[in-house]
Amino acid sequence: MNTKNMKKLPRKRSPLLTAAKAVMLVLSLWFSCAMPALTGAGLISNRASYGEEMEKTGIFFIAAAALMTAGAFLCLIRRDLPDILAIAFSLSGLALCMVMLKKLADHADRSGWTDKYTLLPISEMYTSRIMPCIIPALLCAVLAAVQLCSYGQREQRRRKKAEKDAPAPPII
């Protein structure tokens, strides 16, 4: 079969990969976008009582949420560069989010913040709400890596390279 006919073959999509992407997107919108962004917005809106340091932490929480969400949306595109960016954005957003969570939990423990009903430390509440963002961020990185290493993508890269290295057609 020549390369002209190979281009016309339909690309086979894996239903498992499609389902994993749907689950990853839903989890990303809730855990990676909503939870860190709302935590950051709360810290920023109460900056008068929390201080400038917690305001910066809130800004970084929002930036982490934006990075992880952008990574999730880039993972939906089946191309090389978006997959590489999806891995980079998801993992860097996750790292930033975890660093800010540690900083916020330490500050809450030092300040003695507790829930007024159960008297449990607020740091446990922050941890239980933000830690699940690990799941969609890692799922996004794994799905993007699987897409990068898939057989179809490798064949497409080989075809493009072969077309570049092909000799020019004769003029006459």
Side-chain angles (χ1 to χ4, degrees):
M1 228 180 209
N2 62 14
T3 58
K4 201 176 216 182
N5 293 337
M6 296 228 3
K7 287 181 185 177
K8 294 181 182 178
L9 291 175
R11 291 191 345 187
K12 189 174 163 184
R13 300 246 185 238
S14 168
L16 182 62
L17 189 64
T18 304
K21 282 183 183 181
V23 167
M24 181 263 315
L25 187 61
V26 169
L27 290 176
S28 291
L29 289 175
W30 181 249
F31 290 118
S32 295
C33 182
M35 287 300 173
L38 291 175
T39 301
L43 291 173
I44 292 170
S45 68
N46 294 319
R47 66 181 166 260
S49 60
Y50 292 159
E52 186 180 324
E53 194 64 30
M54 286 296 104
E55 179 186 11
K56 290 178 185 175
T57 302
I59 292 169
F60 284 125
F61 265 125
I62 293 173
L67 281 172
M68 289 186 289
T69 306
F73 281 109
L74 285 171
C75 183
L76 298 176
I77 304 169
R78 252 188 104 106
R79 300 269 186 248
D80 291 341
L81 182 61
D83 283 338
I84 293 169
L85 289 175
I87 293 170
F89 284 1
S90 291
L91 295 180
S92 63
L94 178 64
L96 180 61
C97 187
M98 292 299 114
V99 168
M100 292 301 113
L101 176 61
K102 174 75 171 132
K103 190 174 184 178
L104 179 61
D106 288 346
H107 180 78
D109 287 338
R110 277 194 316 268
S111 299
W113 295 350
T114 59
D115 184 15
K116 65 180 176 181
Y117 299 113
T118 62
L119 297 178
L120 290 174
I122 291 294
S123 61
E124 288 181 18
M125 180 198 67
Y126 282 128
T127 303
S128 67
R129 289 184 182 178
I130 296 177
M131 283 300 276
C133 73
I134 292 172
I135 297 166
L138 290 181
L139 187 60
C140 175
V142 168
L143 288 174
V146 165
Q147 287 179 165
L148 271 174
C149 298
S150 71
Y151 178 75
Q153 289 295 97
R154 285 185 292 173
E155 287 300 313
Q156 187 177 11
R157 286 190 289 266
R158 269 194 212 117
R159 265 188 271 136
K160 281 184 180 179
K161 186 176 179 185
E163 287 173 2
K164 269 187 179 178
D165 295 340
I171 297 174
I172 307 178

